[in-house]
Amino acid sequence: MTRNEAEKRISELRKAIAYHSELYYNNDAPEISDYEYDMMYKELLELEAQYPELDREASPTHRVGGTASDKFKKVRHPVKMGSLSDVFSFEEISAFVEKVKSALAEIGEKKVEFTVEPKIDGLSVGLTYENGAFSLGATRGGGEEGEDVTANLLTVKSIPKAIPDSLSITVRGEVYMPKSEFERLNLEKEEAGEKLWANPRNAAAGSLRQLDSAITAKRGLDIFVFNHQIGDLWADGRAPETHSETISRMGELGFHVIDLLAVTDDTEKILEAVRALGEARESLPNDIDGAVIKVNSLRQRELLGETTNTPKWAIAYKYPPEEKETKLLDITVQVGRTGVLTPTAELSPVRLAGTSVSRATLHNIDIIRQRDIRIGDTVVVRKAGDIIPEVVRSVSEKRDGTEVPFSFPECCPSCGGKLVFDAQGDDGEIREEGAIRCINAACPAQLERRITHFASKPTMAIDGMGPRTVKLLLEAGIISDVADIYSIKKEEVADLPGMGELSADNLLSAIERSKTRGAAKLLFALGVRHIGEAASEAIARSFGGILPMFDATEEDFLRVEDVGEIMAKTLCEFFALPETRALIERLADSGVALEEEKVEIETTLEGKTFVLTGTLTSFTRSEATERLKAKGAKVAGSVSKKTSFVVAGEAAGSKLDRANELGIPVLTEEQLKEILDN
C-alpha cells in the first residue's frame, strides 16, 4: 500500500468509525456487528502505527467510547474511565503476557499473576458513595465526562443504596440486561408492532438513558461491579494488594461482582480460562463479548503504567461472532408492507447467542444464488448484530443429493398478483441487487403490515394493536384499512380470542389518543414509499399539515430540506390518487388531526451549508442546528467542497483539519452567534 493509498484508507476508516460509534455509543442503534466495527478499528490502529505522520489527535483511536448526551446533566469522573486494548487471537494474548512478564522482570519482579474474567456486554458506569450513601451514578461517556443517570441507576435492584462503614468510594461496573429480560422485552415490542432491540447491550443502554426513570425500572437491568477506582475500601484505611482481593471486598460491601474469576501465572492456564469462558457463553444468564486479562497485583499495575487511553496491564480478548451449523428445512417468502418479497430460511432450531433460532434472513434471490443455498442444505448461521440471524453459507460437502435449488414464486404468495423486479430500494437508491415486488395495492399481506405500521409506536402509537391484534381484526372483518380503526366498537374487540373487556377498553383509549398525534406522525404512518420518519416531520412542518400536500407540485416538495427528486415524485403520485383523498377524508371525519405546527423558514442563509465541529458552550449543537435551519441554511455532518462555513467549537477535530485543507471559512462560536442574532 502506497502512502497516498494509506492516507485515503485512513480517512475512510475514520469517517466510518465515527459514524458507527455515534450509532453504537450515543444512539444505541448499531448497523453493523461488534466484530465488523472491531476489525475496522484494528485496521486503523495498524495503519496509524505504520504511517505515524498520518496519525491525528482527533482520530477515533485517541478517544474513549462515545460522548455525554445533552439530554442529561454532564459530570466529570473523579478518575478517568478508560478502555482496554482489544486482541483477537490467542497468539496476541500470549504476546501480551510475555511482554508484561518481560517488562516487570527487568525491574526485579519475578512472579506475575493474571486474572481472567468475562467481559460483560453492557454499558460502563461509575458509582459514587459519600459517607456510605449512593450519591452519583454516571455513564462513561468520553472517559473524562459522562451523563448523570443517578435516578435511573437507583432503579437497578442489585446496586446497594448504602454500603457499610460509611465509606466514601467510587467503583466501576457494567450495566447489562439479562437474556431473559431481553427476550421478554422484545416479545412485548413485537406484539406492540415496535422496532425490536438489536441486542441486550443496546437494550440496556437505551433503558439506562430514559428520561423517565419509571421506564428504566421496568426493564430488569442488572450490574456487575468489576473495579475499585477511588477511596478506601476499609474503614481503617487498609489497602488491598490485588485485584482479586478488591473484587472479594466489593462483594462483602454488597456489590454484585463477577464470580467467574481465574487467577494464574501460567500462560497456558490463561488461554484455558479464556477458552472455557467462550464455551460457557451460551449457558450464562447474560451476554459476554470477550474475556479480560489483567495483572492481579495493584502495585505491579502502577509500575507498568498506562497509555493515554488504555492501561498497559490489561487487555480484552474479543470472541469472534458465534456461528453454528443447522439444517435448512425450507425457504418461505414474506411479503412486506411495500410489497417487497423477502426469502426467509426455516431452520432446524439451534441455540445461537443465547437464544433459540429457527428462522434466518436470506435477504434476496441474488444472495441465495451467489451462496448456492439449497433447501435441505446444512447451513452456517450467525447472529452478527441483528435480531434476525442470517445464513452465512451452505456446507456443500455435506450434501447427499436430496437438496433442492430454490426458485422464486411466479406470482405473489399472498394475493396471486403480478411480481416485478425493482432495483430501486425503499430509500430511493438504485441497487445492483434489486428486489422482487408485488404491485397489487390490495395485497392482504401488505395490508396487514401496513396497518401494523400505522399503529406502531413511531407512527400513531396505538398501544395494544400489534401484529397479533391486527391479524385478528382483519380475519374477523372488523377492519379492512387504516381508517376502519377509528370505527371499531368495544363489543367487537371484546369478543376476539384472548381479548376481553379490559383489553377492549385499553385499545379504544389508545385509538382515541392517537387522533392527536399530528400530521408528521400521520404522514409517516401512511407508509408512503421512500418517505421515512425524519422526512415526514420535515415535510409536515414545512406544509403545516396534510391537506396542502394535495395541491403541491414536485417543486414544492423539493423545497423541503433533504427531499430529493424520487421522493418528490412519489409524494405527488401518492397525493394524486383518489384513494388517498378518500382515506384522508375518512380519517378527518373520525377526528384524526391533519395539522402540524408550520415552521416559517427565513431565507437569510438560503443556499449556505454549515458544518459544526467541537464543543459549543453558548448552546447545544442541536439548538445551533435548529437556529441555522430556521434561517434557511443547511447543516451537514461532513466537510466537502460544497461546505460554506465550518463552525469550530472547543476541541474541534478532523472536520477543522479538512476545512483548512479545502480553504473553507472557519467561524468561531461568537461569529456564529452574530450571524444568528442578526
Side-chain angles (χ1 to χ4, degrees), residues 657-676:
D657 296 337
R658 181 65 174 157
N660 290 329
E661 287 174 15
L662 296 175
I664 293 166
V666 177
L667 305 176
T668 64
E669 186 175 347
E670 287 302 316
Q671 289 172 317
L672 173 64
K673 285 176 67 178
E674 287 181 20
I675 291 172
L676 294 174

Side-chain angles (χ1 to χ4, degrees), residues 67-69 72-75 137-139 141 145-149 209:
T67 57
S69 169
F72 297 94
K73 177 185 174 184
K74 295 178 183 178
V75 292
T139 63
E145 187 177 68
E147 304 150 333
D148 183 345
V149 289
R209 285 175 162 150

Side-chain angles (χ1 to χ4, degrees), residues 98-369:
E98 293 309 310
K99 183 178 179 180
V100 166
K101 285 183 176 180
S102 177
L104 289 172
E106 290 181 4
I107 53 177
E109 298 286 329
K110 296 182 179 179
K111 183 174 181 179
V112 186
E113 281 188 335
F114 295 85
T115 62
V116 180
E117 59 195 76
K119 184 176 182 297
I120 309 300
D121 197 10
L123 186 70
S124 197
V125 298
L127 310 176
T128 297
Y129 291 78
E130 294 181 3
N131 298 319
F134 180 41
S135 60
L136 176 66
T139 63
R140 179 174 68 177
E144 294 182 347
E145 187 177 68
E147 304 150 333
D148 183 345
V149 289
T150 308
N152 291 347
L153 286 170
L154 282 167
T155 70
V156 180
K157 294 178 181 178
S158 55
I159 294 178
K161 308 307 179 281
I163 56 176
D165 302 327
S166 299
L167 299 176
S168 295
I169 60 172
T170 296
V171 298
R172 182 173 173 180
E174 196 85 358
V175 172
Y176 67 93
M177 180 174 286
K179 294 175 183 175
S180 58
E181 287 296 317
F182 173 70
E183 291 177 8
R184 178 185 65 82
L185 261 181
N186 264 350
L187 281 174
E188 290 179 0
K189 280 180 164 286
E190 186 174 21
E191 176 59 29
E194 299 174 12
K195 183 180 179 182
L196 304 184
W197 289 110
N199 51 54
R201 187 269 169 200
N202 293 102
S207 300
L208 192 59
R209 285 175 162 150
Q210 292 290 325
L211 293 175
D212 183 356
S213 59
I215 297 176
T216 306
K218 297 176 182 177
R219 298 288 174 83
L221 298 179
D222 209 333
I223 189 172
F224 276 118
V225 171
F226 60 83
N227 196 20
H228 164 243
Q229 291 192 290
I230 195 170
D232 294 330
L233 285 174
W234 283 273
D236 58 9
R238 181 159 41 104
E241 295 182 359
T242 63
H243 173 60
S244 53
E245 186 183 2
T246 299
I247 293 291
S248 177
R249 175 55 180 162
M250 290 193 298
E252 292 173 0
L253 292 174
F255 293 106
H256 191 193
V257 295
I258 296 168
D259 53 7
L260 295 172
L261 185 72
V263 182
T264 180
D265 62 353
D266 182 80
T267 302
E268 281 306 311
K269 288 184 178 178
I270 290 173
L271 298 180
E272 285 175 18
V274 173
R275 192 178 295 110
L277 271 178
E279 292 171 355
R281 287 172 72 185
E282 190 173 313
S283 62
L284 296 176
N286 56 277
D287 269 1
I288 65 171
D289 61 350
V292 179
I293 300 95
K294 303 175 182 175
V295 171
N296 195 25
S297 167
L298 302 182
R299 180 180 59 81
Q300 289 178 342
R301 289 183 181 186
E302 290 186 10
L303 292 172
L304 290 166
E306 302 187 3
T307 66
T308 305
N309 292 320
T310 60
K312 295 179 180 179
W313 41 263
I315 55 167
Y317 169 75
K318 303 293 283 289
Y319 293 113
E322 187 179 13
E323 295 185 349
K324 284 190 177 178
E325 290 185 4
T326 189
K327 204 76 171 176
L328 174 58
L329 304 176
D330 197 4
I331 297 177
T332 56
V333 178
Q334 308 295 319
V335 184
R337 67 179 175 87
T338 60
V340 173
L341 273 64
T342 304
T344 301
E346 305 293 338
L347 306 167
S348 179
V350 60
R351 294 289 295 181
L352 186 66
T355 58
S356 178
V357 171
S358 58
R359 308 181 81 200
T361 180
L362 288 166
H363 302 292
N364 54 47
I365 188 64
D366 299 291
I367 294 293
I368 295 173
R369 289 169 178 163

Side-chain angles (χ1 to χ4, degrees), residues 192 450-457 459-463 465 485:
R450 281 202 301 270
I451 294 175
T452 301
H453 170 72
F454 184 91
S456 66
K457 190 173 182 179
T459 55
M460 302 306 281
I462 304 176
D463 292 338
M465 191 173 277
I485 291 172

Side-chain angles (χ1 to χ4, degrees), residues 24-62:
Y24 181 86
Y25 289 108
N26 299 334
N27 297 341
D28 309 313
E31 290 182 351
I32 61 173
S33 69
D34 290 357
Y35 186 77
E36 291 171 289
Y37 177 89
D38 289 338
M39 290 300 99
M40 285 196 299
Y41 194 91
K42 184 183 181 186
E43 183 184 354
L44 179 58
L45 276 173
E46 291 171 349
L47 284 172
E48 289 177 343
Q50 187 178 351
Y51 299 93
E53 71 276 15
L54 299 178
D55 198 359
R56 298 287 184 272
E57 189 61 35
S59 172
T61 58
H62 296 290

Side-chain angles (χ1 to χ4, degrees), residues 74 613-617 619 621 648-652 669:
K74 295 178 183 178
T613 182
T615 303
L616 303 178
T617 56
F619 30 51
R621 190 173 294 192
E650 295 178 9
E669 186 175 347

Side-chain angles (χ1 to χ4, degrees), residues 587-624:
L587 290 171
D589 290 343
S590 298
V592 177
L594 305 182
E595 298 76 31
E596 191 78 22
E597 182 180 353
K598 187 170 182 177
V599 178
E600 296 296 337
I601 304 296
E602 294 182 31
T603 58
T604 52
L605 295 177
E606 190 173 6
K608 304 295 183 184
T609 300
F610 287 72
V611 172
L612 308 175
T613 182
T615 303
L616 303 178
T617 56
S618 302
F619 30 51
T620 65
R621 190 173 294 192
S622 59
E623 288 170 345

